Amino acid sequence: MTDAPTPRLPLAGIRVIELGQLLAGPFTGTLLAYFGAEVIKVEPPGGDPIRGWRKLDENGTSFWWRSLGRNKKCVTIDLKQPAGIELVRKLIGSADVVIENFKPGTMENWQLGPDDFSSSHPKLVYARISGYGQTGPYSPKPGYASVCEGIGGFRYVNGFPGGRPVRPNLSMGDTVAGIHAALGIVLALFERERGGDGQVIDVALFESVFNLLEGVIPEYDGAGVIREPSGSTVTGIVPTNTYLCGDGKYVIIGGNGDSIFQRLMKAAGRPDMSSDPRLASNAGRVEHEEEIDQALSDWCANRSSAEVLATLEQANVPAGPIYSAADMLADPHFQARNLFEQVEINGKPLKIPAILPKLAGTPGRTAWPGPEVGAHNREVLLEGLGLSPEDYAALTRSGVISAG
């Protein structure tokens, strides 16, 4: 019996040069590599700092890197040396896509900006990721996700009224910017396939967060209303909240549809509220939000989370638990949806998340976990660029090319 053929990947044949460090640019590269692009990650001597962030394995490499660096070919080039810049120039000349997330102007200082390739490589797709974008008065400012989530409006609406604005324990601004950049790259490649040239994609972290703000801007401009933080609820939609159960666990209940609300309140032992004409529409429920939340809080407080969820499932009311990583790994639905992939690091298994979206005909996959520093130097630089063994050795001696 022969093995089934490996499905074709949608970005197979696309070469990407990834320049930059930490998260936004590298996550863009991860998305493209997962769906088949050849992503060559250019790292400084010693590698991307994210290799040493957060929890480390026994060899001092972060578990995060094994996920973020998957499917990438990693080379080390010192861009502080002219010979290193020239190597990167040659790599870009062979590529379809460049991803960079340096401070605006950095690539131009190296003469590696998009204008430096506009004549010699007009088909190049050039994605630039920065805190505030390539233009405008704030463009020179350094912009990490933490800061850009604030100016982009996300932090303003996140938290409890009267309290300090909070953030999720994630670098959301970076990740969302990476998704925007990957989308822009695919759109630009699609346009190129239709006969167009390459183009520059300018992604700002603060704009990527701004893009998530739903109706915040038109509500202010049209009605003069500034949406404020609302804790665990969403302004103007009732009921949708988080409730503490008798076993100390929280559940989320979304009963804001008119018929759903009726089923919810009957299940919660409040048929009087189910049929109350004041609460028949969302507008009325918004007006009486405190009364509804108190009734649901009281009901949940006297039952275990499992009992609450089982009752609401029976009533066909949207509700669910709040999961940790341990809960996800133990859940059969996550397993059935193939949301984890297992790789090996020095002979030891490690689960990393699958990357979405799922494509039925050409699904992405993890071919290898994030490799060691400089793991593909010889393949990419010696064999791929055609350097002579003598030149490769000289560049290695001078530190232009280096391993870990």
Side-chain angles (χ1 to χ4, degrees):
M1 183 177 178
T2 58
D3 292 335
T6 301
R8 179 172 53 86
L9 297 172
L11 294 179
I14 299 297
R15 171 175 272 203
V16 179
I17 308 302
E18 178 192 305
L19 296 154
Q21 300 176 7
L22 303 178
L23 189 49
F27 185 61
T28 307
T30 303
L31 292 169
L32 301 180
Y34 192 78
F35 291 100
E38 179 192 22
V39 176
I40 298 171
K41 179 175 177 61
V42 177
E43 298 181 84
D48 191 318
I50 213 163
R51 290 175 175 271
W53 279 24
R54 298 199 173 134
K55 295 296 182 181
L56 310 181
D57 64 20
E58 60 188 12
N59 298 311
T61 300
S62 73
F63 293 105
W64 189 8
W65 164 251
R66 302 304 185 183
S67 177
L68 187 65
R70 75 179 84 187
N71 296 358
K72 296 181 184 179
K73 296 179 178 179
C74 293
V75 301
T76 52
I77 299 176
D78 187 358
L79 281 162
K80 294 180 180 178
Q81 299 193 49
I85 293 172
E86 189 56 35
L87 278 180
V88 172
R89 190 187 317 281
K90 291 178 179 178
L91 284 174
I92 292 175
S94 72
D96 299 283
V97 178
V98 172
I99 302 166
E100 65 96 356
N101 68 326
F102 293 111
K103 187 177 178 181
T106 301
M107 295 295 286
E108 282 76 7
N109 291 340
W110 289 326
Q111 296 184 316
L112 296 174
D115 289 346
D116 296 297
F117 297 93
S118 59
S119 297
S120 61
H121 196 350
K123 296 292 185 180
L124 182 65
V125 173
Y126 201 115
R128 321 196 72 176
I129 308 171
S130 61
Y132 299 95
Q134 301 296 315
T135 61
Y138 297 167
S139 61
K141 291 185 176 184
Y144 272 20
S146 55
V147 177
C148 292
E149 288 168 14
I151 194 171
F154 171 74
R155 296 285 187 95
Y156 189 90
V157 298
N158 199 34
F160 285 82
R164 180 185 300 183
V166 300
R167 73 178 296 180
N169 194 8
L170 299 164
S171 297
M172 191 194 76
D174 281 313
T175 303
V176 173
I179 295 170
H180 278 77
L183 173 61
I185 289 167
V186 172
L187 291 173
L189 288 172
F190 183 66
E191 168 61 17
R192 196 183 72 169
E193 283 295 304
R194 298 196 296 186
D197 284 336
Q199 56 187 295
V200 175
I201 299 145
D202 182 359
V203 175
L205 269 67
F206 92 96
E207 289 174 342
S208 299
V209 173
F210 173 82
N211 210 23
L212 304 181
L213 293 186
E214 301 174 355
V216 166
I217 297 303
E219 287 169 4
Y220 172 69
D221 192 54
V225 174
I226 295 176
R227 191 182 302 184
E228 301 290 340
S230 61
S232 56
T233 69
V234 175
T235 300
I237 302 175
V238 177
T240 175
N241 208 343
T242 303
Y243 302 93
L244 180 62
C245 298
D247 57 1
K249 296 181 179 180
Y250 287 92
V251 298
I252 299 172
I253 300 174
N256 44 284
D258 293 348
S259 61
I260 295 173
F261 176 74
Q262 293 175 13
R263 296 197 301 273
L264 167 61
M265 300 317 294
K266 287 177 183 176
R270 293 299 304 268
D272 58 313
M273 297 183 75
S274 172
S275 59
D276 190 333
R278 298 177 306 150
L279 311 178
S281 68
N282 185 66
R285 292 192 294 273
V286 169
E287 187 177 346
H288 300 283
E289 180 176 11
E290 186 174 342
E291 179 183 349
I292 294 169
D293 270 340
Q294 187 61 58
L296 292 173
S297 294
D298 292 343
W299 179 65
C300 290
N302 293 311
R303 290 159 179 79
S304 69
S305 56
E307 182 182 354
V308 168
L309 293 176
T311 300
L312 295 183
E313 183 173 357
Q314 183 68 30
N316 198 25
V317 173
I322 296 177
Y323 268 4
S324 69
D327 296 322
M328 295 177 198
L329 283 163
D331 190 286
H333 189 71
F334 279 71
Q335 299 292 341
R337 295 288 293 172
N338 298 315
L339 289 180
F340 310 107
E341 297 177 346
Q342 185 164 298
V343 297
E344 281 201 1
I345 310 297
N346 299 320
K348 294 185 177 180
L350 178 69
K351 285 188 173 64
I352 60 176
I355 291 179
L356 292 307
K358 294 177 179 290
L359 278 66
T362 55
R365 65 175 182 270
T366 298
W368 64 84
E372 305 309 318
V373 178
H376 298 90
N377 280 355
R378 296 186 66 85
E379 175 188 340
V380 172
L381 302 177
L382 179 60
E383 301 165 14
L385 282 186
L387 295 177
S388 69
E390 294 77 16
D391 287 343
Y392 183 86
L395 289 168
T396 301
R397 286 195 301 270
S398 67
V400 173
I401 301 170
S402 61

